[in-house]
Amino acid sequence: MTNPLLADWTTPFALPPFDAISDADFAPAFDAALAAARARVAAISADPAAPSYANTIEALELAEDELDRVSGVFFNLSGADSNDAREALQRDLAPKLSAFASEVTNDRRLFARIEALWAQRDCLGLDAEQARVLMLYRRMFLRAGAALEGAAQARMTEVKARLAVLGTTFSQNLLADERAWFMDLAEADLDGLPGFVVDAARAAGAERGRPGPVVTLNRSLIVPFLQFSPRRDLRERAFRAWVARGANGGETDNRAIAAEILALRHERAQLLGHADFAAWKLETEMAGTPDRVRELLMRVWAPARARAEADAAALEAMLHADGINGALEPWDWRYYSEKRRKALHDFDEAALKPYLSLDAMIAAAFDCAHRLFGLEFRPLEVPLYHPDARAWEVTRNGAHVAVFIGDYFARASKRSGAWMSAFRGQRKLGGERRPIIVNVCNFAKGDPALLSWDDARTLFHEFGHALHGMLSDVTHGFVSGTSVARDFVELPSQLYEHWLSVPQVLETHARHWQTGEPMPAALREKLLAAQTYDQGFATVEYVASALVDLAFHTGAPPADPMAKQAEVLDALGMPRAIVMRHATPHFAHVFSGDGYSAGYYSYMWSEVMDADAFAAFEEAGDPFDPATARRLERILSSGGAEEAEALYTGFRGRMPGPEALLKGRGLLDDAA
Ligand SMILES: [Zn+2]
């Protein structure tokens, strides 16, 4: 019998035939798909014909079709609906897939073909997208070390292997420290804690076999404990343990590991001809250089710090009013800030939820996409991978655009968080292929399911990523949809969140699920006003972390990262009652792998653009202004086929400054 993963898919829109696929099909399908991809890459590499764009780059683009198809199904299912068999297969696959990727970039004949094309690039008659794809392929090979020879090549292999080990050890040490610590609470210590914190503390105690409730270092328990516990002594103990993760001495201490990682990254960047790791890392990013990142962060830093210092004074006055002398400490901030929030912006989350039913928020997200881009959504009755998943056909003027799958409810088989992913990406090469995009969330199920404000924002955020995938209109899969720089990829998603806060969207869609009444205007205004609360604190803890990350990777690596961290914070004038959001010994974004190393700034880089991009609609006087929406669609449809900066400038006529971000965070008054 044919493996359903490898057979032709005759389903509507060539969706994966979910009802015909069983877990036993994956391993043989991966073996066959990898073998096919290997054979094609080998044929390209050994092709006796002189290298041409078609026989090299286009052939590479089409070489992994079966692998794309099988991976698309498998990795979506292992994230959204895992089981033991899928987890085991995932562990087996990781080394096989990374070995294949290295084989390709280490293939010297293949790299020679790319180099030959690069040398003749001006005479090949390439269009703009082809020229960019050629540049991106060459850069990918160079960054993997394809041009290194002899001792340098051998050393590169060693450095990469050692970095992989150190990244894993860093994560495991952190996890060990997080698991080891807990603090028993007596019944009287629960005073002042809301029900959900008490429940979480009891559940954590039971899990650890303790006689009563405990506080652990899990963010979702310790943060609310620090927010609500009136016991200053307990807050201090918990806080000190929390910020000591990875720096407790002994076997799980991450400080020496951080130093070794920084030294090896520097060496790796220098082997590849870059001045330092930040220069190497930012080569592929929109920001381009460490100086541009630092400039942005410092422009945000000053007003954020000013706001945080003013807030600190208000919180310290509350501390003194409680009869406590002395300075506001880091373990006091969240507690007094929560009290102040209640006084200034109190609204009842429970009163809000009936206006935010899941179906109403899906309809709101679809309606905004209709008003901006003319998209229409029709429910599809097709077999999917789980009964909770739903599918829609997306069309425009009657023409097929994409299939959108929404998988919104939490379940044990789903990993945590929310994400957008593709079962199939868009491309035109080899025949137009339209995308199948999925949004996966972890909302609580209910009848009906009612969302929190954060949930609704998440839904809009992920739908913004989904639009990036669905509206893609490029030739090469390599640059399709969300295949863009990391500091650009959050622009469509963070931008889309803005439409949820548009009053007319709330008026139309945020209606009580039983009565159909719109959300009361007073509630809506309270909700929108509360969004800028405590942004001085949030901005300071984030920007401080981003600046330390950048300093670590600029110039010679520090022998003592903790001393370097202290030096950076001191020069910044870090407020005394705020610590870095992630200090070095537990800064997993930066040390567990390379994802956000010299890249923690990316969130803010995207936020500068999303705030400025939404301001374009405000300036046009209409949140759905058609001309502005058409220009925005160029960003969404171009994927990585154009330089991010050129795309943004095409949309806005200029690059953004941080003013819109500061305004969005309520920090503009503090800007000098
Ligand atoms: Zn995102």
Side-chain angles (χ1 to χ4, degrees):
M1 213 180 88
T2 337
N3 190 313
L5 286 156
L6 300 169
D8 269 343
W9 292 348
T10 54
T11 43
F13 311 106
L15 279 159
F18 292 109
D19 50 353
I21 298 169
S22 70
D23 283 345
D25 295 324
F26 283 113
F30 267 110
D31 287 342
L34 266 168
R38 260 199 184 96
R40 279 195 211 106
V41 171
I44 299 165
S45 167
D47 191 344
S52 69
Y53 190 83
N55 74 17
T56 304
I57 302 297
E58 287 184 355
L60 282 172
E61 282 285 286
L62 301 174
E64 299 179 16
D65 273 8
E66 295 88 349
L67 193 56
D68 284 351
R69 192 142 77 120
V70 179
S71 301
V73 178
F74 179 73
F75 288 105
N76 275 295
L77 295 196
S78 57
D81 195 24
S82 199
N83 58 36
D84 290 346
R86 291 173 188 172
E87 275 173 28
L89 182 55
Q90 211 176 346
R91 282 191 296 273
D92 288 352
L93 280 171
K96 287 189 190 175
L97 293 174
S98 79
F100 173 62
S102 302
E103 265 170 55
V104 174
T105 49
N106 289 340
D107 184 325
R108 304 193 83 80
R109 284 186 303 177
L110 192 54
F111 181 58
R113 294 181 79 86
I114 294 173
E115 282 295 77
L117 291 173
W118 179 250
Q120 315 157 38
R121 64 190 178 280
D122 294 332
C123 334
L124 296 172
L126 302 181
D127 67 23
E129 182 176 328
Q130 289 172 323
R132 182 162 163 82
V133 168
L134 173 60
M135 181 280 283
L136 291 173
Y137 264 92
R138 178 172 181 263
R139 193 171 75 181
M140 176 177 80
F141 274 75
L142 285 174
R143 290 172 68 82
L148 296 180
E149 313 221 353
Q153 190 186 41
R155 179 63 187 151
M156 178 61 111
T157 307
E158 268 171 38
V159 166
K160 278 198 216 172
R162 179 72 183 148
L163 279 170
V165 171
L166 290 171
T168 307
T169 312
F170 189 95
S171 307
Q172 288 172 349
N173 285 346
L174 188 51
L175 203 61
D177 273 12
E178 281 170 359
R179 283 188 181 145
W181 190 91
F182 60 86
M183 178 171 77
D184 286 311
L185 296 177
E187 287 299 315
D189 300 336
L190 299 173
D191 285 352
L193 301 181
F196 80 94
V197 186
V198 173
D199 292 346
R202 288 197 196 285
E207 210 183 292
R208 285 170 191 249
R210 305 300 300 170
V214 302
V215 176
T216 67
L217 298 180
N218 185 327
R219 198 170 184 101
S220 64
L221 180 51
I222 188 159
V223 168
F225 181 78
L226 293 169
Q227 261 174 315
F228 293 106
S229 175
R231 284 284 300 277
R232 195 176 193 227
D233 57 332
L234 299 182
R235 291 200 312 263
E236 179 177 353
R237 258 177 71 195
F239 184 88
R240 286 188 186 281
W242 193 36
V243 298
R245 287 168 299 147
N248 287 308
E251 281 187 356
T252 60
D253 198 300
N254 271 335
R255 288 172 287 191
I257 292 173
E260 190 182 348
I261 288 175
L262 294 175
L264 288 172
R265 282 181 182 159
H266 187 70
E267 186 181 350
R268 179 179 176 178
Q270 293 209 314
L271 280 169
L272 294 170
H274 290 270
D276 53 32
F277 184 82
W280 177 77
K281 187 65 190 280
L282 287 162
E283 181 192 30
T284 61
E285 298 300 307
M286 184 178 181
T289 66
D291 281 346
R292 287 183 75 189
V293 173
R294 196 172 298 106
E295 187 190 310
L296 163 68
L297 293 171
M298 289 311 295
R299 284 183 70 181
V300 175
W301 173 259
R305 179 174 176 276
R307 168 58 54 88
E309 291 290 12
D311 287 340
L315 301 181
E316 194 167 270
M318 294 169 73
L319 174 83
H320 294 167
D322 273 355
I324 300 167
N325 292 323
L328 184 80
E329 298 291 349
W331 45 90
D332 297 321
W333 191 291
R334 287 181 173 81
Y335 177 71
Y336 286 102
S337 173
E338 177 59 27
K339 280 190 154 184
R340 190 171 173 229
R341 189 189 70 80
K342 227 171 239 163
L344 295 177
H345 299 291
D346 199 21
F347 64 86
D348 187 359
E349 187 75 29
L352 188 64
K353 280 189 154 197
Y355 298 97
L356 303 176
S357 74
L358 173 62
D359 284 345
M361 292 300 103
I362 293 172
F366 286 179
D367 185 32
C368 292
H370 177 67
R371 298 179 68 174
L372 289 164
F373 308 116
L375 299 180
E376 293 182 278
F377 298 80
R378 179 178 67 89
L380 282 177
E381 288 305 324
V382 287
L384 294 170
Y385 58 90
H386 191 278
D388 284 347
R390 301 149 75 173
W392 290 265
E393 188 197 2
V394 186
T395 57
R396 177 152 56 185
N397 302 322
H400 178 76
V401 172
V403 171
F404 175 69
I405 298 173
D407 178 0
Y408 293 108
F409 296 128
R411 56 177 170 261
S413 62
K414 200 186 265 189
R415 72 178 163 85
S416 60
W419 63 93
M420 164 274 196
S421 172
F423 280 95
R424 177 171 72 218
Q426 180 273 336
R427 82 169 182 216
K428 291 182 197 154
L429 194 71
E432 171 95 48
R433 200 173 72 175
R434 291 308 310 173
I436 304 169
I437 301 296
V438 60
N439 275 175
V440 184
C441 300
N442 269 287
F443 303 147
K445 217 169 178 172
D447 190 22
L450 301 177
L451 304 188
S452 68
W453 182 248
D454 269 359
D455 291 340
R457 276 180 62 161
T458 300
L459 187 147
F460 268 66
H461 179 101
E462 298 309 333
F463 194 71
H465 284 308
L467 288 170
H468 204 179
M470 295 192 291
L471 289 170
S472 182
D473 186 25
V474 297
T475 303
H476 302 77
F478 198 67
V479 291
S480 164
T482 54
S483 306
V484 299
R486 177 167 309 246
D487 58 3
F488 192 60
V489 75
E490 295 299 326
L491 168 62
S493 53
Q494 293 182 175
L495 174 60
Y496 211 68
E497 290 178 38
H498 288 267
W499 276 282
L500 175 61
S501 297
V502 167
Q504 67 188 95
V505 173
L506 289 174
E507 275 163 34
T508 309
H509 295 284
R511 288 177 175 271
H512 199 285
W513 70 276
Q514 277 169 312
T515 65
E517 288 293 312
M519 183 186 295
L523 180 58
R524 194 180 71 219
E525 275 153 31
K526 252 184 173 174
L527 172 72
L528 297 180
Q531 306 217 51
T532 56
Y533 181 67
D534 217 10
Q535 284 298 312
F537 173 88
T539 310
V540 160
E541 64 161 10
Y542 168 83
V543 173
S545 300
L547 283 165
V548 168
D549 167 37
L550 196 65
F552 277 167
H553 297 99
T554 310
D560 180 352
M562 296 308 286
K564 181 75 180 180
Q565 172 184 305
E567 185 190 304
V568 173
L569 296 179
D570 197 45
L572 282 172
M574 185 76 172
R576 65 162 282 143
I578 304 179
V579 299
M580 289 166 72
R581 185 171 170 84
H582 308 283
T584 303
H586 47 262
F587 205 163
H589 286 83
V590 170
F591 293 108
S592 287
D594 257 351
Y596 282 91
S597 50
Y600 191 62
Y601 77 90
S602 312
Y603 299 99
M604 184 154 276
W605 189 269
S606 289
E607 189 183 329
V608 165
M609 283 185 289
D610 77 65
D612 182 67
F614 192 72
F617 287 91
E618 291 174 331
E619 287 160 21
D622 175 0
F624 299 100
D625 179 59
T628 312
R630 268 196 302 280
R631 290 203 314 276
L632 175 62
E633 187 173 338
R634 277 270 296 140
I635 291 185
L636 297 173
S637 63
S638 300
E642 276 183 60
E643 203 62 70
E645 183 156 343
L647 282 175
Y648 194 84
T649 311
F651 167 68
R652 200 66 165 109
R654 55 158 176 75
M655 280 295 285
E659 295 74 21
L661 171 140
L662 292 171
K663 187 174 162 222
R665 289 189 172 223
L667 300 172
L668 199 57
D669 302 341
D670 303 281

